Amino acid sequence: MRRREFITLVGSAATWPLAARAEQMPMIGFLSPLPSGEPPPFAGFRRGLAEEGYVEGKNLAIESRFANFRPELLKEAAGDLVRLQVNVIFAAYPESLTAARNATNSVPTVAVDLESDPVAMGYIKSLARPGGNLTGMFLDLPELSGKQVGLLKEMVPGLSHIAIFGVPGLNAAQFAATAAAVRAVGVEAEIIEVQVPDDWGRALEAAKTRQVEAGILLSSPLVFVSSKQIGELALANRLPLISLFGEFPKAAGFMAYGPNINSMWQKAGIYIGKILHGANLTTYRYSGRRSSIS
């Protein structure tokens, strides 16, 4: 089964000057709220860079900073990358994007943000004319939420009670969009908040106690790194869950509907390569890709 994935790629019409390191090997700063170590989609990111002729250690350096789920460390990490005079910052998570934007308004920043509305958050002026030093990929959250709810109704006959699992604050836009999609089909919603990996056992038990029949996992770095744990807990509680991440069904989860994360990171690598080549990005949209359903 194949459904449309809606992604908006926004680019600044301004010319982004590279940092004063022109005579040296160009440097990318990778900013992550996760524990240290390259996440699986990083391989796609490297492929994108390679398409533009950049290979780490040969003609490119990558400086990575990790916060281990401690958001307060991201501010310092972003400032450190700016002080290093990186040519481009890759902010692959919403927390990283916020930290990068607070640290600089001049260093080009490429983002992959699955959780935020870039206009509502003030990241860009508009989808048509973003302005500033930011480009990236963002999901159409209402459309995605509607598709996920529809799939659960197809797969769980008589569905009347859904749990929505998410991180307070980070998933604010997704909570609103998903709750609206659930109400639109006449289904009752239970909001269950999680903040750290240890919360998942309590959250799944709460869902069982409230007699929900299925659940939606709002996207977040926490869900991404906890897919195996969540899948096993959901299986033990006999609770069908749908996730945005394609890795979820491979980790004992029920179903996934969302973008191809590897492809999004690969596209980020391509655009960083174009920036390093001195591209003057103009405003345009990128859409019509396919999502994966597992």
Side-chain angles (χ1 to χ4, degrees):
M1 189 175 188
R2 304 181 74 190
R3 302 287 181 105
R4 292 188 64 193
E5 166 198 334
F6 292 84
I7 300 173
T8 300
L9 178 63
V10 291
S12 171
T15 301
W16 289 345
L18 298 180
R21 305 179 66 259
E23 296 80 12
Q24 304 177 36
M25 184 180 294
M27 182 186 296
I28 296 169
F30 174 56
L31 190 60
S32 169
L34 302 182
S36 60
E38 292 184 359
F42 210 87
F45 177 63
R46 292 185 183 279
R47 285 195 298 273
L49 288 170
E51 287 185 36
E52 293 298 315
Y54 288 101
V55 178
E56 184 182 13
K58 181 179 179 181
N59 59 354
L60 177 72
I62 300 178
E63 278 287 331
S64 300
R65 296 292 183 271
F66 305 91
N68 195 24
F69 291 115
R70 295 177 59 190
E72 70 275 11
L73 298 181
L74 281 174
K75 178 180 179 181
E76 180 181 349
D80 189 35
L81 292 178
V82 173
R83 286 188 293 273
L84 284 174
Q85 295 187 306
V86 297
N87 298 96
V88 186
I89 293 175
F90 178 35
Y93 307 94
E95 305 98 324
S96 306
L97 175 53
T98 298
R101 290 190 74 256
N102 289 336
T104 178
N105 59 9
S106 59
V107 178
T109 300
V110 173
V112 175
D113 183 355
L114 307 179
E115 287 77 34
S116 306
D117 178 330
V119 179
M121 292 295 291
Y123 296 156
I124 58 176
K125 295 178 181 178
S126 71
L127 295 178
R129 296 184 179 277
N133 63 319
L134 171 66
T135 189
M137 283 157 278
F138 305 86
L139 294 180
D140 184 328
L141 297 178
E143 184 72 20
L144 175 69
S145 299
K147 296 293 186 182
Q148 290 182 328
V149 172
L151 283 168
L152 278 181
K153 279 187 66 66
E154 288 180 25
M155 301 299 291
V156 183
L159 181 63
S160 63
H161 200 178
I162 289 179
I164 305 173
F165 300 90
V167 181
L170 175 68
N171 287 135
Q174 283 185 303
F175 271 129
T178 306
V182 171
R183 289 194 300 270
V185 295
V187 175
E188 183 180 354
E190 290 279 355
I191 303 298
I192 301 179
E193 297 181 346
V194 291
Q195 293 183 298
V196 295
D198 288 344
D199 285 344
W200 287 112
R202 172 197 57 77
L204 270 293
E205 186 61 34
K208 183 178 180 180
T209 300
R210 299 178 196 182
Q211 298 182 323
V212 302
E213 300 147 342
I216 296 176
L217 298 167
L218 304 184
S219 64
S220 69
L222 177 62
V223 167
F224 183 75
V225 300
S226 303
S227 288
K228 185 174 187 297
Q229 175 191 6
I230 299 168
E232 291 174 349
L233 286 168
L235 188 61
N237 285 278
R238 302 183 63 83
L239 181 67
L241 299 179
I242 187 169
S243 171
L244 177 147
F245 300 110
E247 291 78 9
F248 184 60
K250 301 173 186 176
F254 180 62
M255 183 168 52
Y257 175 86
N260 185 322
I261 306 298
N262 289 325
S263 178
M264 293 179 75
W265 282 52
Q266 181 173 352
K267 188 64 66 174
I270 291 172
Y271 277 88
I272 286 179
K274 291 184 182 298
I275 292 169
L276 294 177
H277 283 309
N280 178 13
L281 297 185
T282 56
T283 302
Y284 61 95
R285 292 186 175 189
Y286 180 81
S287 62
R289 296 179 58 79
R290 297 288 178 174
S291 63
S292 60
I293 298 180
S294 304

